[in-house]
Amino acid sequence: MPAGLVALALGGFGIGLTEFVIAGLLPQVSRSLAVSEAAAGWLISGYALTVAVGAIVVTAATAGLPRKAVLTGLVALFVVGNLLSAVAPNYSLMMLGRVVAALCHGSFFGIGSLVARRMVAPERASRAVAVMFAGLTVANVLGVPFGALVGERWGWRATFWAITGIGVVAAVAIAVCVPGWAGEVNRPRPSDASHTSEASGKATGRPDTPRTQLRAFRSAQVWLTLAATALGYGGMFGAFSYLAYTFTRVTGFSSTDVAWLLVVYGSGLVIGNIVGGRAADRDRDLTLIASLAGLTVTLAVFGLLAADPAASVVLVFLTGLFGFASVPGMITRVTDHAHGVPLAAAANVSASNIGNALGAWLGGAAISAGLGYTAPLYVGAAIVLSGLAVMIVAARRADRRVSDTTDLGLAQDRASAG
Protein backbone atom coordinates (compact mmCIF):
# COMPACT_ATOMS: atom_id res chain seq x y z
CA MET A 1 0.00 0.00 0.00
CA PRO A 2 1.45 3.40 -0.96
CA ALA A 3 2.50 5.46 2.04
CA GLY A 4 0.68 8.41 0.50
CA LEU A 5 -2.65 6.59 0.96
CA VAL A 6 -1.91 6.10 4.66
CA ALA A 7 -1.10 9.81 4.95
CA LEU A 8 -4.43 10.72 3.33
CA ALA A 9 -6.24 8.27 5.64
CA LEU A 10 -4.60 9.96 8.63
CA GLY A 11 -5.85 13.32 7.39
CA GLY A 12 -9.32 11.83 6.97
CA PHE A 13 -9.13 10.43 10.50
CA GLY A 14 -8.36 13.84 11.97
CA ILE A 15 -11.10 15.56 9.98
CA GLY A 16 -13.56 12.82 10.94
CA LEU A 17 -12.69 13.27 14.61
CA THR A 18 -13.42 16.98 14.35
CA GLU A 19 -16.84 16.26 12.85
CA PHE A 20 -17.95 13.54 15.28
CA VAL A 21 -16.15 14.31 18.54
CA ILE A 22 -18.23 17.37 19.41
CA ALA A 23 -21.33 15.22 19.96
CA GLY A 24 -19.83 13.78 23.15
CA LEU A 25 -18.64 17.18 24.37
CA LEU A 26 -21.76 19.34 23.99
CA PRO A 27 -22.76 19.32 27.69
CA GLN A 28 -19.26 20.40 28.76
CA VAL A 29 -18.97 23.01 26.02
CA SER A 30 -22.37 24.53 26.77
CA ARG A 31 -21.55 24.84 30.48
CA SER A 32 -18.05 26.21 29.86
CA LEU A 33 -19.15 28.82 27.34
CA ALA A 34 -22.41 29.58 29.17
CA VAL A 35 -24.73 28.86 26.24
CA SER A 36 -27.87 26.75 25.91
CA GLU A 37 -27.88 23.19 24.66
CA ALA A 38 -29.62 24.38 21.49
CA ALA A 39 -26.90 26.95 20.84
CA ALA A 40 -24.21 24.35 21.48
CA GLY A 41 -25.97 22.09 18.97
CA TRP A 42 -25.28 24.67 16.27
CA LEU A 43 -21.60 23.77 16.60
CA ILE A 44 -22.65 20.54 14.84
CA SER A 45 -25.17 22.05 12.41
CA GLY A 46 -22.89 24.97 11.53
CA TYR A 47 -20.09 22.55 10.74
CA ALA A 48 -22.31 20.47 8.44
CA LEU A 49 -23.66 23.50 6.57
CA THR A 50 -20.13 24.86 6.10
CA VAL A 51 -19.01 21.50 4.70
CA ALA A 52 -21.84 21.54 2.14
CA VAL A 53 -21.01 25.05 0.93
CA GLY A 54 -17.26 25.02 1.49
CA ALA A 55 -16.72 21.85 -0.55
CA ILE A 56 -17.83 23.66 -3.70
CA VAL A 57 -16.39 27.12 -2.98
CA VAL A 58 -12.95 26.01 -1.80
CA THR A 59 -12.53 23.43 -4.56
CA ALA A 60 -13.47 25.98 -7.23
CA ALA A 61 -11.15 28.58 -5.69
CA THR A 62 -8.17 26.21 -5.74
CA ALA A 63 -8.77 24.94 -9.29
CA GLY A 64 -5.53 24.77 -11.24
CA LEU A 65 -3.27 24.66 -8.18
CA PRO A 66 -1.10 21.60 -7.51
CA ARG A 67 -3.34 19.18 -5.64
CA LYS A 68 -0.70 18.00 -3.19
CA ALA A 69 -0.08 21.60 -2.13
CA VAL A 70 -3.83 22.18 -1.83
CA LEU A 71 -4.26 19.11 0.37
CA THR A 72 -1.41 20.22 2.62
CA GLY A 73 -2.92 23.68 2.84
CA LEU A 74 -6.36 22.28 3.66
CA VAL A 75 -4.96 20.26 6.56
CA ALA A 76 -3.14 23.39 7.75
CA LEU A 77 -6.51 25.18 7.69
CA PHE A 78 -7.92 22.27 9.69
CA VAL A 79 -5.16 22.75 12.27
CA VAL A 80 -5.94 26.47 12.59
CA GLY A 81 -9.65 25.79 13.04
CA ASN A 82 -9.11 23.24 15.81
CA LEU A 83 -6.53 25.47 17.47
CA LEU A 84 -9.15 28.24 17.58
CA SER A 85 -11.62 25.82 19.15
CA ALA A 86 -9.05 24.70 21.73
CA VAL A 87 -8.36 28.26 22.95
CA ALA A 88 -11.79 29.81 22.32
CA PRO A 89 -12.73 32.05 25.28
CA ASN A 90 -16.32 32.44 24.07
CA TYR A 91 -19.00 30.89 21.88
CA SER A 92 -18.39 33.16 18.88
CA LEU A 93 -14.72 32.19 18.56
CA MET A 94 -15.62 28.54 19.11
CA MET A 95 -18.10 28.72 16.22
CA LEU A 96 -15.48 30.44 14.08
CA GLY A 97 -13.06 27.61 14.80
CA ARG A 98 -15.69 25.05 13.77
CA VAL A 99 -16.41 26.93 10.54
CA VAL A 100 -12.72 27.26 9.65
CA ALA A 101 -12.13 23.55 10.28
CA ALA A 102 -15.21 22.63 8.22
CA LEU A 103 -14.01 24.62 5.21
CA CYS A 104 -11.37 21.97 4.51
CA HIS A 105 -13.63 18.94 4.94
CA GLY A 106 -15.38 18.55 1.59
CA SER A 107 -12.46 19.68 -0.53
CA PHE A 108 -10.04 17.39 1.29
CA PHE A 109 -12.11 14.29 0.59
CA GLY A 110 -13.00 15.44 -2.92
CA ILE A 111 -9.49 16.32 -4.07
CA GLY A 112 -7.92 13.61 -1.91
CA SER A 113 -9.99 10.90 -3.59
CA LEU A 114 -8.59 11.94 -6.98
CA VAL A 115 -5.03 11.97 -5.68
CA ALA A 116 -5.56 8.60 -3.96
CA ARG A 117 -6.72 6.84 -7.11
CA ARG A 118 -3.76 8.15 -9.11
CA MET A 119 -1.41 6.36 -6.73
CA VAL A 120 -2.74 2.93 -7.80
CA ALA A 121 -3.59 1.07 -10.98
CA PRO A 122 -6.97 2.07 -12.51
CA GLU A 123 -8.58 -1.27 -11.61
CA ARG A 124 -7.87 -0.55 -7.91
CA ALA A 125 -9.29 2.98 -7.89
CA SER A 126 -12.29 2.32 -5.62
CA ARG A 127 -10.11 0.44 -3.14
CA ALA A 128 -7.72 3.39 -2.98
CA VAL A 129 -10.63 5.72 -2.23
CA ALA A 130 -11.82 3.26 0.43
CA VAL A 131 -8.40 3.37 2.11
CA MET A 132 -8.56 7.16 2.32
CA PHE A 133 -12.12 7.06 3.67
CA ALA A 134 -11.08 4.40 6.21
CA GLY A 135 -9.77 7.25 8.34
CA LEU A 136 -13.22 8.83 8.36
CA THR A 137 -14.98 5.56 9.22
CA VAL A 138 -12.56 4.78 12.07
CA ALA A 139 -13.12 8.30 13.37
CA ASN A 140 -16.84 7.59 13.34
CA VAL A 141 -16.25 4.56 15.59
CA LEU A 142 -13.81 6.30 17.93
CA GLY A 143 -14.88 9.94 17.72
CA VAL A 144 -17.61 10.16 20.34
CA PRO A 145 -15.94 7.77 22.87
CA PHE A 146 -12.56 9.49 22.32
CA GLY A 147 -14.03 12.95 22.89
CA ALA A 148 -15.98 11.86 25.94
CA LEU A 149 -12.97 10.08 27.49
CA VAL A 150 -10.44 12.86 26.94
CA GLY A 151 -12.97 15.56 27.79
CA GLU A 152 -13.98 13.85 31.03
CA ARG A 153 -10.38 13.37 32.14
CA TRP A 154 -8.68 16.59 30.98
CA GLY A 155 -11.50 18.87 29.84
CA TRP A 156 -13.08 19.44 26.42
CA ARG A 157 -10.28 21.77 25.28
CA ALA A 158 -7.78 18.93 25.59
CA THR A 159 -9.73 17.03 22.94
CA PHE A 160 -9.26 19.83 20.42
CA TRP A 161 -5.59 20.15 21.34
CA ALA A 162 -5.19 16.42 20.60
CA ILE A 163 -6.96 16.79 17.24
CA THR A 164 -4.74 19.78 16.45
CA GLY A 165 -1.70 17.56 17.05
CA ILE A 166 -3.11 14.87 14.76
CA GLY A 167 -3.60 17.54 12.10
CA VAL A 168 0.04 18.62 12.32
CA VAL A 169 1.22 15.01 11.93
CA ALA A 170 -1.16 14.50 8.98
CA ALA A 171 0.07 17.66 7.23
CA VAL A 172 3.69 16.55 7.55
CA ALA A 173 2.82 13.01 6.39
CA ILE A 174 1.02 14.32 3.28
CA ALA A 175 3.87 16.69 2.45
CA VAL A 176 6.43 13.88 2.77
CA CYS A 177 4.59 10.76 1.57
CA VAL A 178 2.21 11.86 -1.20
CA PRO A 179 4.17 11.92 -4.49
CA GLY A 180 4.03 15.18 -6.42
CA TRP A 181 2.98 13.49 -9.67
CA ALA A 182 -0.15 12.11 -7.99
CA GLY A 183 -1.47 15.64 -7.63
CA GLU A 184 -0.78 16.86 -11.15
CA VAL A 185 -3.45 16.14 -13.74
CA ASN A 186 -1.31 15.82 -16.84
CA ARG A 187 1.81 14.32 -15.31
CA PRO A 188 2.06 10.52 -15.76
CA ARG A 189 2.94 7.97 -13.14
CA PRO A 190 6.67 7.25 -13.28
CA SER A 191 5.99 3.51 -13.61
CA ASP A 192 3.16 3.63 -16.15
CA ALA A 193 2.53 6.42 -18.59
CA SER A 194 -0.99 5.11 -19.21
CA HIS A 195 -2.15 6.18 -15.74
CA THR A 196 -2.31 9.86 -16.60
CA SER A 197 -5.92 10.56 -15.76
CA GLU A 198 -7.96 9.86 -12.69
CA ALA A 199 -11.03 9.09 -14.72
CA SER A 200 -10.03 6.89 -17.58
CA GLY A 201 -6.29 6.43 -17.75
CA LYS A 202 -6.07 8.78 -20.73
CA ALA A 203 -4.51 12.21 -20.63
CA THR A 204 -7.18 14.86 -20.72
CA GLY A 205 -4.87 17.69 -21.59
CA ARG A 206 -7.18 20.11 -19.81
CA PRO A 207 -6.28 22.34 -16.86
CA ASP A 208 -8.46 22.52 -13.76
CA THR A 209 -10.03 25.90 -14.60
CA PRO A 210 -13.44 26.77 -13.09
CA ARG A 211 -14.98 26.73 -16.58
CA THR A 212 -13.58 23.26 -17.31
CA GLN A 213 -14.87 21.96 -13.99
CA LEU A 214 -18.35 23.41 -14.46
CA ARG A 215 -18.51 21.90 -17.95
CA ALA A 216 -18.42 18.45 -16.35
CA PHE A 217 -21.84 19.09 -14.83
CA ARG A 218 -23.43 18.92 -18.27
CA SER A 219 -23.38 15.15 -17.86
CA ALA A 220 -26.69 13.64 -16.77
CA GLN A 221 -24.73 10.79 -15.18
CA VAL A 222 -23.02 13.25 -12.83
CA TRP A 223 -26.37 14.61 -11.63
CA LEU A 224 -27.90 11.14 -11.30
CA THR A 225 -24.94 9.99 -9.20
CA LEU A 226 -25.12 13.07 -6.99
CA ALA A 227 -28.85 12.48 -6.48
CA ALA A 228 -28.28 8.82 -5.61
CA THR A 229 -25.57 9.87 -3.14
CA ALA A 230 -27.80 12.44 -1.43
CA LEU A 231 -30.76 10.06 -1.16
CA GLY A 232 -28.75 7.00 -0.15
CA TYR A 233 -26.66 8.73 2.49
CA GLY A 234 -29.55 10.94 3.59
CA GLY A 235 -31.80 7.96 4.27
CA MET A 236 -29.13 6.29 6.38
CA PHE A 237 -28.34 9.47 8.33
CA GLY A 238 -32.03 10.25 8.82
CA ALA A 239 -32.39 6.93 10.63
CA PHE A 240 -29.03 7.25 12.42
CA SER A 241 -29.87 10.69 13.83
CA TYR A 242 -32.60 9.22 16.03
CA LEU A 243 -31.12 5.81 16.85
CA ALA A 244 -30.54 6.81 20.47
CA TYR A 245 -34.28 7.40 20.87
CA THR A 246 -35.11 4.16 19.06
CA PHE A 247 -32.77 2.15 21.27
CA THR A 248 -33.92 3.68 24.56
CA ARG A 249 -37.64 4.25 23.90
CA VAL A 250 -38.44 1.22 21.71
CA THR A 251 -35.79 -1.48 22.14
CA GLY A 252 -35.39 -0.97 25.87
CA PHE A 253 -31.65 -0.35 26.08
CA SER A 254 -30.38 2.04 28.73
CA SER A 255 -28.78 5.35 27.81
CA THR A 256 -25.38 3.95 28.83
CA ASP A 257 -25.76 1.22 26.19
CA VAL A 258 -26.01 3.72 23.35
CA ALA A 259 -22.23 4.28 23.20
CA TRP A 260 -21.35 0.65 22.48
CA LEU A 261 -24.28 0.31 20.09
CA LEU A 262 -22.88 3.23 18.09
CA VAL A 263 -19.51 1.46 18.07
CA VAL A 264 -21.30 -1.55 16.50
CA TYR A 265 -22.77 0.80 13.89
CA GLY A 266 -19.35 2.36 13.26
CA SER A 267 -17.78 -1.08 12.87
CA GLY A 268 -20.30 -1.70 10.10
CA LEU A 269 -19.17 1.51 8.43
CA VAL A 270 -15.53 0.42 8.50
CA ILE A 271 -16.23 -3.03 7.05
CA GLY A 272 -18.75 -1.71 4.52
CA ASN A 273 -16.22 0.82 3.26
CA ILE A 274 -13.58 -1.88 2.70
CA VAL A 275 -15.93 -4.44 1.15
CA GLY A 276 -17.68 -1.81 -0.97
CA GLY A 277 -14.40 -0.53 -2.35
CA ARG A 278 -13.25 -3.98 -3.41
CA ALA A 279 -16.62 -4.91 -4.90
CA ALA A 280 -16.88 -1.62 -6.82
CA ASP A 281 -13.58 -2.34 -8.55
CA ARG A 282 -15.15 -5.52 -9.94
CA ASP A 283 -18.62 -4.22 -10.89
CA ARG A 284 -19.30 -0.71 -9.67
CA ASP A 285 -22.93 -0.15 -10.67
CA LEU A 286 -24.00 -3.58 -9.46
CA THR A 287 -22.28 -2.89 -6.12
CA LEU A 288 -24.05 0.46 -5.76
CA ILE A 289 -27.45 -1.05 -6.58
CA ALA A 290 -26.89 -3.96 -4.19
CA SER A 291 -25.72 -1.62 -1.40
CA LEU A 292 -28.75 0.66 -1.72
CA ALA A 293 -31.13 -2.30 -1.96
CA GLY A 294 -29.54 -3.88 1.12
CA LEU A 295 -29.83 -0.63 3.06
CA THR A 296 -33.50 -0.20 2.07
CA VAL A 297 -34.39 -3.70 3.28
CA THR A 298 -32.29 -3.35 6.45
CA LEU A 299 -33.96 -0.09 7.54
CA ALA A 300 -37.45 -1.44 6.82
CA VAL A 301 -36.79 -4.66 8.77
CA PHE A 302 -35.15 -2.63 11.55
CA GLY A 303 -38.40 -0.69 11.90
CA LEU A 304 -40.35 -3.95 12.22
CA LEU A 305 -37.96 -5.60 14.70
CA ALA A 306 -36.80 -2.56 16.68
CA ALA A 307 -38.36 -3.95 19.89
CA ASP A 308 -36.05 -7.00 19.73
CA PRO A 309 -32.63 -6.20 21.31
CA ALA A 310 -30.68 -8.98 19.55
CA ALA A 311 -32.14 -8.15 16.14
CA SER A 312 -31.48 -4.45 16.70
CA VAL A 313 -27.77 -5.07 17.32
CA VAL A 314 -27.46 -7.05 14.09
CA LEU A 315 -29.50 -4.55 12.10
CA VAL A 316 -27.61 -1.47 13.31
CA PHE A 317 -24.39 -3.18 12.18
CA LEU A 318 -25.93 -3.92 8.77
CA THR A 319 -27.15 -0.32 8.53
CA GLY A 320 -23.57 0.87 8.80
CA LEU A 321 -22.25 -1.83 6.48
CA PHE A 322 -24.71 -1.24 3.62
CA GLY A 323 -24.78 2.50 4.25
CA PHE A 324 -21.06 3.02 3.63
CA ALA A 325 -20.50 0.24 1.08
CA SER A 326 -21.65 2.63 -1.64
CA VAL A 327 -19.32 5.51 -0.75
CA PRO A 328 -16.12 4.51 -2.65
CA GLY A 329 -18.10 3.54 -5.75
CA MET A 330 -20.15 6.76 -5.73
CA ILE A 331 -16.98 8.86 -5.54
CA THR A 332 -15.25 7.06 -8.42
CA ARG A 333 -18.46 7.00 -10.48
CA VAL A 334 -19.09 10.73 -10.26
CA THR A 335 -15.47 11.60 -10.99
CA ASP A 336 -15.30 9.19 -13.93
CA HIS A 337 -18.38 10.69 -15.55
CA ALA A 338 -17.04 14.18 -14.77
CA HIS A 339 -13.69 13.34 -16.43
CA GLY A 340 -11.81 13.59 -13.14
CA VAL A 341 -12.54 17.22 -12.20
CA PRO A 342 -12.17 17.86 -8.43
CA LEU A 343 -15.35 19.94 -8.25
CA ALA A 344 -17.46 16.85 -9.00
CA ALA A 345 -15.82 14.89 -6.18
CA ALA A 346 -16.37 17.81 -3.82
CA ALA A 347 -19.98 18.09 -5.00
CA ASN A 348 -20.43 14.44 -4.00
CA VAL A 349 -19.41 15.33 -0.44
CA SER A 350 -21.80 18.31 -0.52
CA ALA A 351 -24.58 16.06 -1.80
CA SER A 352 -24.11 13.66 1.10
CA ASN A 353 -24.30 16.51 3.61
CA ILE A 354 -27.42 17.94 1.96
CA GLY A 355 -28.90 14.45 2.13
CA ASN A 356 -27.95 14.24 5.81
CA ALA A 357 -29.82 17.46 6.54
CA LEU A 358 -32.86 16.31 4.53
CA GLY A 359 -32.96 12.88 6.17
CA ALA A 360 -32.59 14.26 9.70
CA TRP A 361 -35.34 16.84 9.05
CA LEU A 362 -37.79 14.32 7.62
CA GLY A 363 -37.06 11.83 10.42
CA GLY A 364 -37.66 14.52 13.03
CA ALA A 365 -40.85 15.62 11.27
CA ALA A 366 -42.13 12.04 11.41
CA ILE A 367 -41.53 11.87 15.16
CA SER A 368 -43.16 15.30 15.65
CA ALA A 369 -46.19 14.05 13.72
CA GLY A 370 -46.66 11.38 16.38
CA LEU A 371 -45.57 8.42 14.24
CA GLY A 372 -43.25 7.07 16.93
CA TYR A 373 -39.55 6.48 17.32
CA THR A 374 -39.38 3.80 14.64
CA ALA A 375 -40.69 6.27 12.06
CA PRO A 376 -37.20 7.58 11.09
CA LEU A 377 -36.27 4.03 10.10
CA TYR A 378 -39.21 3.77 7.71
CA VAL A 379 -38.62 7.30 6.43
CA GLY A 380 -34.97 6.41 5.87
CA ALA A 381 -35.97 3.27 3.98
CA ALA A 382 -38.26 5.30 1.71
CA ILE A 383 -35.53 7.87 1.01
CA VAL A 384 -32.96 5.17 0.20
CA LEU A 385 -35.52 3.42 -2.02
CA SER A 386 -35.75 6.64 -4.02
CA GLY A 387 -31.96 6.65 -4.30
CA LEU A 388 -32.04 3.04 -5.47
CA ALA A 389 -34.51 3.97 -8.22
CA VAL A 390 -32.23 6.81 -9.34
CA MET A 391 -29.21 4.49 -9.34
CA ILE A 392 -31.02 1.87 -11.45
CA VAL A 393 -31.94 4.56 -14.00
CA ALA A 394 -28.34 5.79 -14.04
CA ALA A 395 -26.95 2.28 -14.54
CA ARG A 396 -29.36 1.52 -17.38
CA ARG A 397 -28.57 4.79 -19.14
CA ALA A 398 -24.86 4.07 -18.82
CA ASP A 399 -25.29 0.53 -20.18
CA ARG A 400 -27.35 1.84 -23.09
CA ARG A 401 -24.67 4.40 -23.92
CA VAL A 402 -21.94 1.76 -23.84
CA SER A 403 -24.05 -0.48 -26.08
CA ASP A 404 -24.69 2.35 -28.57
CA THR A 405 -20.99 3.22 -28.63
CA THR A 406 -20.06 -0.42 -29.24
CA ASP A 407 -22.60 -0.73 -32.07
CA LEU A 408 -21.29 2.46 -33.67
CA GLY A 409 -17.72 1.19 -33.47
CA LEU A 410 -18.68 -2.11 -35.10
CA ALA A 411 -20.55 -0.29 -37.87
CA GLN A 412 -17.51 1.89 -38.52
CA ASP A 413 -15.25 -1.16 -38.61
CA ARG A 414 -17.53 -2.85 -41.15
CA ALA A 415 -17.64 0.28 -43.29
CA SER A 416 -13.83 0.51 -43.22
CA ALA A 417 -13.52 -3.16 -44.15
CA GLY A 418 -15.98 -2.74 -47.03
Side-chain angles (χ1 to χ4, degrees):
M1 179 187 299
L5 285 180
V6 177
L8 292 175
L10 180 60
F13 175 70
I15 292 172
L17 281 180
T18 299
E19 180 178 17
F20 302 122
V21 77
I22 189 68
L25 299 174
L26 283 184
Q28 293 184 49
V29 172
S30 63
R31 288 194 300 268
S32 176
L33 301 181
V35 297
S36 67
E37 290 84 355
W42 272 101
L43 295 173
I44 297 176
S45 302
Y47 185 98
L49 291 172
T50 303
V51 170
V53 176
I56 303 296
V57 174
V58 174
T59 303
T62 56
L65 297 177
R67 292 176 185 172
K68 176 180 176 178
V70 171
L71 288 172
T72 306
L74 289 172
V75 178
L77 188 67
F78 160 83
V79 169
V80 171
N82 282 283
L83 184 59
L84 285 173
S85 295
V87 303
N90 53 52
Y91 178 77
S92 297
L93 194 59
M94 179 71 179
M95 179 61 80
L96 177 61
R98 294 290 291 169
V99 169
V100 170
L103 284 173
C104 79
H105 185 123
S107 294
F108 179 86
F109 285 107
I111 297 172
S113 65
L114 298 178
V115 173
R117 63 185 298 179
R118 272 180 59 83
M119 283 189 273
V120 300
E123 63 272 14
R124 298 177 65 87
S126 293
R127 272 173 281 188
V129 172
V131 170
M132 189 192 74
F133 272 87
L136 179 65
T137 58
V138 171
N140 197 307
V141 177
L142 300 179
V144 175
F146 171 81
L149 178 64
V150 174
E152 190 67 32
R153 189 172 182 86
W154 294 291
W156 64 268
R157 296 181 188 277
T159 303
F160 287 98
W161 278 111
I163 296 173
T164 300
I166 292 172
V168 171
V169 174
V172 172
I174 290 170
V176 172
C177 298
V178 174
W181 53 260
E184 296 183 24
V185 180
N186 296 314
R187 185 174 169 185
R189 289 165 51 98
S191 59
D192 189 348
S194 68
H195 298 159
T196 56
S197 169
E198 303 90 337
S200 63
K202 299 177 183 178
T204 63
R206 295 174 300 182
D208 277 344
T209 64
R211 178 177 294 181
T212 299
Q213 297 204 52
L214 289 173
R215 192 178 298 131
F217 289 89
R218 295 176 181 176
S219 168
Q221 286 291 340
V222 169
W223 287 105
L224 288 169
T225 308
L226 292 177
T229 295
L231 294 169
Y233 211 80
M236 179 185 71
F237 196 82
F240 170 78
S241 299
Y242 302 97
L243 278 180
Y245 293 103
T246 305
F247 284 140
T248 56
R249 306 288 179 86
V250 179
T251 315
F253 285 112
S254 69
S255 57
T256 56
D257 289 323
V258 172
W260 71 261
L261 288 165
L262 294 181
V263 170
V264 172
Y265 167 80
S267 300
L269 295 181
V270 173
I271 296 173
N273 177 57
I274 296 170
V275 173
R278 289 181 175 275
D281 280 333
R282 290 192 290 271
D283 191 326
R284 184 168 59 199
D285 283 358
L286 180 60
T287 298
L288 296 177
I289 290 171
S291 298
L292 293 173
L295 182 57
T296 300
V297 173
T298 296
L299 292 176
V301 174
F302 200 167
L304 293 172
L305 301 180
D308 186 320
S312 293
V313 172
V314 174
L315 289 164
V316 77
F317 172 80
L318 292 177
T319 297
L321 188 147
F322 285 119
F324 225 82
S326 64
V327 171
M330 288 293 189
I331 286 280
T332 56
R333 191 178 201 280
V334 77
T335 51
D336 281 353
H337 286 288
H339 305 293
V341 299
L343 193 60
N348 193 266
V349 178
S350 292
S352 65
N353 278 270
I354 292 170
N356 290 351
L358 173 67
W361 177 73
L362 290 175
I367 292 174
S368 298
L371 299 178
Y373 291 105
T374 59
L377 294 167
Y378 294 119
V379 170
I383 296 172
V384 178
L385 182 62
S386 300
L388 173 61
V390 172
M391 190 61 237
I392 290 172
V393 170
R396 286 181 175 177
R397 287 173 62 101
D399 288 342
R400 190 180 305 124
R401 183 174 180 181
V402 170
S403 177
D404 291 344
T405 302
T406 302
D407 291 344
L408 178 61
L410 290 173
Q412 291 174 339
D413 289 343
R414 292 193 191 101
S416 298

